[in-house]
Amino acid sequence: MEKMKIIFLGTGCSNPTKDRNLSSIAIRFNGEWFLFDCAEGTQRQMIKAKVSYMKIQNIFISHFHADHVLGLPGLFATMALHGRDFPVKVFGPKGVKDLIDKSLNLIGLKPNFEIKCVEAKNGVILKGNGFEVSSFPLKHEVPTRGYVFREEGKAGKFSREKALKLEIPEGPLWSKLQKGESVKIGKKSFAPEQVMDYSKGRKGKTIAVVMDTVVSENYLEEISGADILIHESSFTEKMKSRAIETKHSMVKDVAKLAERAEVGKLYLTHISPRHKENEKMENEARMVFAKSYAAKDFMEIEL
Amino acid sequence: MEKMKIIFLGTGCSNPTKDRNLSSIAIRFNGEWFLFDCAEGTQRQMIKAKVSYMKIQNIFISHFHADHVLGLPGLFATMALHGRDFPVKVFGPKGVKDLIDKSLNLIGLKPNFEIKCVEAKNGVILKGNGFEVSSFPLKHEVPTRGYVFREEGKAGKFSREKALKLEIPEGPLWSKLQKGESVKIGKKSFAPEQVMDYSKGRKGKTIAVVMDTVVSENYLEEISGADILIHESSFTEKMKSRAIETKHSMVKDVAKLAERAEVGKLYLTHISPRHKENEKMENEARMVFAKSYAAKDFMEIEL
């Protein structure tokens, strides 16, 4: 199977710059693209990054600020123009249906495909072939959601003998264990590791997407152990008052959280137009968490 | 005084391509920028072309299709973010106020500056220091307006003798001729050159912006003698049926019109994503009207 891929379609915030379009991230998994936020100009960034409009089934909106959603009407218009006739799902905070209605209404668009709006609640909001996406609340000026994209683990080798020895009966419990889930028999619980040899399998990869928010412990658990944490980092220490005023994250706080959450790598995005040098930002983060990187438009990560 | 300048901010149609953003044209005159259409991504094109948000007082919208207006909400949001506190005028077909209301409503924007919406009627719709803009109806799937930006002529020397010899009576006709306009007496028409000596003055420059429409004689008079005609040319001859179906112009018809209107130069824009080679399009036009050019994003014209 092809590797999972992340492409940053827009890494700026508030207003675009020569080098940064506004917020959007595409994740490729199993031939499908998952879009996280869709700012103005996203459809054009998609063309440049070779992200197909037609391979998007699911869009996840963090919140309804202009720099995260203004690409939706144009994206829908283009999907319609290309003859799309199968649905697209849009997840977002409460009010997502209203946002989509307004987006269509602005240009009088009546597409031939269904746009299913789903209010993202806490926990798993989407399960698909080999992946699931969960959502959690963030703390910003308006209702905002973070998302975790979680690949299912690849099965290791199941030991029939070990299972029988543990007196776990053949049937649905075996297949649960094979999928990497724990099972219970009476009060006894069994972890998959007790019957699986993972030396030839692998743990599923996890990507957490967090924007916009003040940094908080409230979502530490949700992002814990993520292979990739993508986190908004609008401001450096110098602009602390602005960060507090606008309920945004500061680089150093994000790095501290990344360290506590023991993530694999941290990608800083949603970067203020005032930052001219990525290196400065990276340095500020790396003092705390070494594997910190400032995202750039069209940066690709394979994992 | 600095020269007038045109910058093509977006020369594509329907959906953007790697090389072409969607419709927008900026005209610089006397330190001010005039924006004609504002498709998705226009604000970013403006940054790249160094067109200041804050030096726009007037925006002219041809019609309300997605590929001409979806940059408005983001542009207003950015103007608000930059602390704009002086008004902007938006001209457009009937319904322009509704479009602006929906644009603001989509992102819940309540800017600190006034957005004055003006329904563009026939004739002069705006007069300013040294220029005027007039409007005329076009024929497309929805109500659509064309615009002419007309620089005031620098006064030449008016010859009273020549005027009397041509039997043009003193009064309003004289002042029209002095302003560089043609006049009619019965079936006879008189050009300003017949009574003006421009050797020390100069005729004002004229730019006509025509999109989207089927080519028609109905607006021949309005664009007559323009120094620059910018005209939508979505399709070549090959795609004739598509042009008719969608009420768009074909290159050859546009070139014929340019020739009949005796314009200085013709710039073809609003170019279908299917055109891969500008040269082919230019060739098709130049068979009819030699001074035809396919516009490109960020192309600048000084005049």
Side-chain angles (χ1 to χ4, degrees):
Chain A
M1 203 172 81
E2 62 168 3
K3 285 190 170 176
M4 281 174 77
K5 192 193 270 185
I6 302 168
I7 305 184
F8 289 93
L9 297 174
T11 58
C13 83
S14 305
N15 52 270
T17 66
K18 208 174 128 288
D19 300 317
R20 296 190 194 277
N21 205 55
L22 297 172
S23 282
S24 187
I25 296 158
I27 296 181
R28 185 167 177 92
F29 179 77
N30 207 4
E32 213 182 297
W33 284 104
F34 299 79
L35 200 63
F36 292 79
D37 285 340
C38 182
E40 179 179 353
T42 295
Q43 60 166 322
R44 192 165 185 217
Q45 299 290 91
M46 288 172 69
I47 295 171
K48 292 184 180 175
K50 299 194 170 123
V51 174
S52 164
Y53 304 134
M54 293 311 201
K55 288 186 175 152
I56 292 184
Q57 321 279 358
N58 298 287
I59 301 173
F60 304 88
I61 300 294
S62 62
H63 65 301
F64 306 150
H65 276 163
D67 56 340
H68 294 256
V69 300
L70 280 180
L72 288 171
L75 181 61
F76 295 145
T78 294
M79 284 174 167
L81 201 77
H82 287 205
R84 184 175 182 125
D85 56 5
F86 51 95
V88 60
K89 262 190 196 169
V90 184
F91 299 83
K94 194 173 172 174
V96 62
K97 172 88 171 59
D98 186 48
L99 175 82
I100 300 309
D101 287 346
K102 284 177 180 168
S103 297
L104 299 178
N105 192 27
L106 175 60
I107 47 171
L109 186 68
K110 290 179 184 115
N112 262 334
F113 56 93
E114 192 190 354
I115 303 173
K116 294 183 187 172
C117 300
V118 185
E119 199 186 308
K121 300 282 173 64
N122 297 345
V124 174
I125 54 170
L126 178 69
K127 260 181 180 290
N129 187 11
F131 74 92
E132 63 178 32
V133 180
S134 58
S135 169
F136 52 91
L138 296 170
K139 200 174 169 184
H140 190 42
E141 293 173 320
V142 294
T144 304
R145 309 292 306 180
Y147 297 100
V148 174
F149 186 98
R150 198 171 280 113
E151 182 194 21
E152 237 173 45
K154 290 252 191 280
K157 201 169 156 15
F158 178 75
S159 163
R160 196 181 163 82
E161 282 154 47
K162 282 185 184 171
L164 291 172
K165 203 168 172 184
L166 290 167
E167 298 181 352
I168 307 169
E170 197 167 345
L173 293 182
W174 282 23
S175 65
K176 272 197 173 182
L177 287 162
Q178 284 160 356
K179 280 185 199 159
E181 296 169 33
S182 297
V183 300
K184 270 193 172 179
I185 302 176
K187 282 185 181 172
K188 261 191 175 171
S189 90
F190 300 92
E193 287 78 8
Q194 294 179 264
V195 294
M196 299 293 294
D197 171 10
Y198 283 119
S199 61
K200 279 175 193 160
R202 71 177 181 93
K203 194 179 144 278
K205 303 278 184 185
T206 301
I207 303 161
V209 180
V210 180
M211 55 176 93
D212 298 356
T213 191
V214 289
V215 171
S216 143
E217 301 247 318
N218 291 345
Y219 54 91
L220 182 64
E221 196 179 321
E222 279 82 359
I223 64 171
S224 253
D227 297 277
I228 304 283
L229 169 61
I230 299 167
H231 201 295
E232 76 114 316
S233 314
S234 308
F235 300 110
T236 47
E237 197 70 15
K238 224 168 53 175
M239 291 184 265
K240 189 170 179 170
S241 63
R242 183 94 187 112
I244 292 167
E245 187 192 337
T246 58
K247 296 199 170 143
H248 277 298
S249 300
M250 277 177 298
V251 172
K252 207 184 275 178
D253 296 339
V254 175
K256 279 181 199 160
L257 189 76
E259 201 207 9
R260 290 211 47 204
E262 295 180 2
V263 303
K265 288 181 179 178
L266 166 64
Y267 285 85
L268 307 164
T269 189
H270 199 269
I271 293 166
S272 165
R274 300 184 205 192
H275 289 309
K276 298 297 174 217
E277 294 169 44
N278 283 346
E279 293 74 12
K280 273 196 185 166
M281 223 168 77
E282 285 180 342
N283 290 349
E284 197 166 312
R286 287 178 189 177
M287 307 259 285
V288 181
F289 184 74
K291 295 202 166 182
S292 300
Y293 310 89
K296 294 177 187 177
D297 281 22
F298 303 116
M299 188 186 253
E300 294 192 12
I301 307 166
E302 282 199 342
L303 72 168
Chain B
M1 204 171 80
E2 63 168 2
K3 285 190 173 178
M4 280 173 78
K5 193 192 269 185
I6 302 167
I7 305 185
F8 289 93
L9 297 175
T11 58
C13 82
S14 305
N15 52 272
T17 66
K18 207 176 127 286
D19 300 316
R20 297 190 194 278
N21 205 55
L22 297 172
S23 282
S24 187
I25 297 159
I27 295 180
R28 184 166 177 94
F29 179 76
N30 207 4
E32 213 181 294
W33 284 104
F34 298 80
L35 199 63
F36 292 79
D37 285 340
C38 183
E40 180 180 353
T42 295
Q43 60 166 325
R44 191 166 185 218
Q45 298 291 92
M46 288 171 69
I47 294 171
K48 292 184 179 175
K50 299 191 170 129
V51 174
S52 163
Y53 304 133
M54 293 311 201
K55 288 187 175 150
I56 291 183
Q57 320 279 358
N58 298 287
I59 301 173
F60 304 88
I61 300 294
S62 62
H63 65 300
F64 307 149
H65 277 164
D67 56 341
H68 294 256
V69 301
L70 280 180
L72 287 171
L75 181 61
F76 295 145
T78 295
M79 283 174 168
L81 200 78
H82 287 207
R84 183 175 182 124
D85 56 5
F86 51 95
V88 59
K89 261 190 197 168
V90 185
F91 298 84
K94 194 173 170 175
V96 61
K97 171 88 172 60
D98 186 49
L99 175 82
I100 299 308
D101 287 347
K102 284 176 180 168
S103 297
L104 299 178
N105 192 26
L106 175 60
I107 46 172
L109 185 68
K110 289 178 185 116
N112 263 334
F113 56 93
E114 192 190 356
I115 303 174
K116 295 183 187 171
C117 299
V118 185
E119 198 186 309
K121 301 281 173 66
N122 298 344
V124 174
I125 54 170
L126 178 67
K127 260 180 180 294
N129 187 11
F131 74 93
E132 63 178 33
V133 180
S134 57
S135 170
F136 52 91
L138 296 170
K139 200 174 167 185
H140 190 43
E141 293 173 321
V142 295
T144 304
R145 308 293 305 180
Y147 297 100
V148 174
F149 186 99
R150 199 172 278 113
E151 182 194 20
E152 238 172 45
K154 291 251 192 277
K157 200 169 160 7
F158 178 73
S159 163
R160 197 182 162 79
E161 283 154 45
K162 283 184 185 172
L164 291 172
K165 204 169 170 186
L166 290 167
E167 298 183 349
I168 307 170
E170 198 168 345
L173 294 182
W174 282 24
S175 66
K176 273 198 170 180
L177 287 161
Q178 284 160 356
K179 279 185 197 159
E181 296 171 31
S182 297
V183 299
K184 270 194 173 182
I185 304 176
K187 282 185 179 170
K188 263 191 173 170
S189 91
F190 299 93
E193 288 77 8
Q194 293 178 265
V195 293
M196 298 293 292
D197 171 11
Y198 283 120
S199 60
K200 278 174 193 162
R202 71 178 185 92
K203 196 176 144 282
K205 302 280 184 185
T206 301
I207 303 162
V209 181
V210 181
M211 56 177 88
D212 297 2
T213 191
V214 290
V215 171
S216 144
E217 299 248 318
N218 291 345
Y219 54 90
L220 181 64
E221 197 179 323
E222 278 82 359
I223 64 170
S224 252
D227 296 277
I228 304 282
L229 169 61
I230 299 168
H231 201 297
E232 76 114 315
S233 313
S234 307
F235 300 111
T236 48
E237 197 70 14
K238 225 166 55 176
M239 290 185 266
K240 190 170 178 171
S241 63
R242 183 96 185 110
I244 292 167
E245 188 193 334
T246 57
K247 295 197 172 144
H248 278 297
S249 300
M250 276 177 297
V251 172
K252 208 184 274 178
D253 296 338
V254 175
K256 279 181 201 162
L257 190 76
E259 202 208 9
R260 291 210 48 203
E262 295 181 1
V263 303
K265 289 181 179 178
L266 167 63
Y267 284 85
L268 307 163
T269 188
H270 198 268
I271 294 166
S272 164
R274 299 184 206 191
H275 289 309
K276 297 297 174 219
E277 293 168 46
N278 284 347
E279 293 73 12
K280 273 196 185 165
M281 224 168 75
E282 286 180 340
N283 290 348
E284 197 166 313
R286 286 178 189 178
M287 306 260 284
V288 181
F289 185 74
K291 294 200 163 180
S292 299
Y293 309 89
K296 294 178 188 176
D297 281 22
F298 302 116
M299 188 187 255
E300 295 193 12
I301 306 166
E302 282 199 340
L303 72 169

